[in-house]
């Protein structure tokens, strides 16, 4: 899906900026992989404190002894975080420089998306507060696409 979004973004920009879109999305892939692996996954799926945000006893969230199948879950949640980042930055094509954009992706992957992910999809103990209120978003329409589009607007 990331490749498809890259092709769509590439078709929507002027010919001189097409290489920039591809390079931008490759950087987003690498930065998202590193930041979501190190911090984002731990914040999203750690034991929650009053249902607000999760945290792990270890900083690297994939290697936690809490009984979840992290080696199976991480690739899926990484791909959703990659989609959020590509959707958010796709609205900024031809308008931003690469360094500030990558800083925004780091901020998005450490502070914004994992918190929303923890609210809606965390299955630890009592789960996030949206889950406790009965919120159910199995397909990701709110968690993925609205987060990505709202992050792009901001």
């Amino acid at each position: 899906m990331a490749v498809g979004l890259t092709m769509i973004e590439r078709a929507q920009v002027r010919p001189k900026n097409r290489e920039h879109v591809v390079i931008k999305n490759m950087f987003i892939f690498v930065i998202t992989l590193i930041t979501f692996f190190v911090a984002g996954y731990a914040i999203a799926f750690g034991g929650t404190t009053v249902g607000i945000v999760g945290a792990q006893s270890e900083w690297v969230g994939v290697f936690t002894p809490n009984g979840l199948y992290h080696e199976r879950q991480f690739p899926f949640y990484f791909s959703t975080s990659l989609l959020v980042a590509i959707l958010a930055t796709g609205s900024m094509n031809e308008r931003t420089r690469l360094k500030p954009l990558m800083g925004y992706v780091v901020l998005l992957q450490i502070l914004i998306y994992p918190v929303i992910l923890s609210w809606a999809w965390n299955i630890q103990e009592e789960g996030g507060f949206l889950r406790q209120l009965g919120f159910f978003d199995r397909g990701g329409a709110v968690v993925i696409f609205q987060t990505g589009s709202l992050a792009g607007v901001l």
Side-chain angles (χ1 to χ4, degrees), residues 84 92 116 136 142 151:
V84 167
M92 301 176 204
I116 294 171
F136 184 73
V142 173

Side-chain angles (χ1 to χ4, degrees), residues 60-136:
V60 179
V62 179
F63 301 116
T64 55
N66 60 8
L68 293 176
Y69 298 104
H70 297 290
E71 66 276 358
R72 290 186 229 159
Q73 290 182 346
F74 179 76
F76 171 74
Y77 291 113
F78 162 69
S79 65
T80 62
S81 68
L82 180 63
L83 284 177
V84 167
I86 289 177
L87 286 171
T89 59
S91 65
M92 301 176 204
N93 284 336
E94 298 184 335
R95 294 179 186 92
T96 56
R97 295 188 179 269
L98 193 60
K99 286 182 183 179
L101 191 64
M102 294 303 115
Y104 183 66
V105 168
V106 169
L107 178 75
L108 182 67
Q109 296 302 323
I110 292 178
L111 295 177
I112 300 170
Y113 183 65
V115 172
I116 294 171
L117 196 58
S118 176
W119 290 349
W121 285 352
N122 192 345
I123 57 174
Q124 290 290 325
E125 295 129 16
E126 70 274 350
F129 83 93
L130 288 178
R131 188 180 178 118
Q132 292 172 0
L133 294 174
F135 177 76
F136 184 73

